[in-house]
Amino acid sequence: VLTLTEYLVESTLENMSNVHDNSHSYILSEEDAGRISALIVGAISSCSESGAGMSPAHDRCAILSYALARILTFSKLQSYCIVLQHNPSTILEIYTQAATLLFDLASWPVFSSQDRYTNLHEAKRGTISIAARSGLSSLFGYLNSFDRSDSFVQSFASKIFSSAPI
């Protein structure tokens, strides 16, 4: 997923800079970027079903977080409105579940030095936490580029920061 996302973004940026080249170049459209981000967020959301403790789903979530960060950074750079083009009532729950899982994973401890980790398990948790922080900060950074009075942004923030369980 990460390699594919990176390829699509990089080839688009390269092809956009070579406007004189009329070969069969691919440019990632706003609609495609929206679909890709929705699929990534849905995949992250499905990782939340793994339960408490570290699981292989959290490894997948870490990789997906980096892919999400990449597509959201690209979309923000291109001024794409990818989140709001989907049915907000349907996608809101998926984004909320994904963000909640990323919050949980991002809260795992990360140390500044590898020797502070007592074992490989702790080091792996630290790596997953860094990836989750990347995805989470990209998600909020992307949503911050919208008007704060937008109903999707308000609903999303309300669900994330409310005290009610999701």
Side-chain angles (χ1 to χ4, degrees):
V1 171
L2 183 57
T3 304
L4 178 59
T5 303
E6 187 65 28
Y7 172 77
L8 291 172
V9 168
E10 287 302 318
S11 64
T12 297
L13 292 173
E14 183 179 309
N15 290 331
M16 291 174 99
S17 66
N18 296 331
V19 291
H20 303 299
D21 182 15
N22 288 333
S23 64
H24 301 287
S25 59
Y26 178 78
I27 294 181
L28 188 63
S29 70
E30 185 173 11
E31 183 179 343
D32 291 339
R35 287 182 179 139
I36 291 168
S37 69
L39 289 170
I40 293 170
V41 168
I44 290 171
S45 177
S46 71
C47 292
S48 67
E49 299 170 0
S50 62
M54 195 165 74
S55 75
H58 295 138
D59 293 347
R60 288 188 296 276
C61 184
I63 294 168
L64 291 165
S65 294
Y66 283 127
L68 179 64
R70 186 64 176 122
I71 196 72
L72 291 176
T73 301
F74 168 79
S75 297
K76 188 174 179 181
L77 178 70
Q78 299 300 316
S79 300
Y80 284 175
C81 182
I82 61 172
V83 174
L84 305 177
Q85 60 181 268
H86 299 286
N87 183 348
S89 62
T90 304
I91 201 77
L92 181 61
E93 280 302 314
I94 295 170
Y95 271 80
T96 303
Q97 287 176 351
T100 301
L101 175 60
L102 292 175
F103 267 123
D104 289 344
L105 299 178
S107 68
W108 289 354
V110 176
F111 300 113
S112 59
S113 172
Q114 283 293 335
D115 54 338
R116 297 245 352 243
Y117 294 107
T118 58
N119 57 42
L120 184 60
H121 178 75
E122 275 188 8
K124 187 175 182 180
R125 284 175 59 105
T127 303
I128 290 170
S129 181
I130 291 170
R133 292 172 188 182
S134 175
L136 193 59
S137 64
S138 293
L139 179 59
F140 281 108
Y142 179 75
L143 290 175
N144 192 44
S145 66
F146 294 110
D147 180 10
R148 285 187 171 75
S149 64
D150 181 271
S151 64
F152 180 85
V153 174
Q154 284 185 347
S155 297
F156 178 75
S158 174
K159 285 184 97 39
I160 290 297
F161 297 114
S162 71
S163 60
I166 299 175

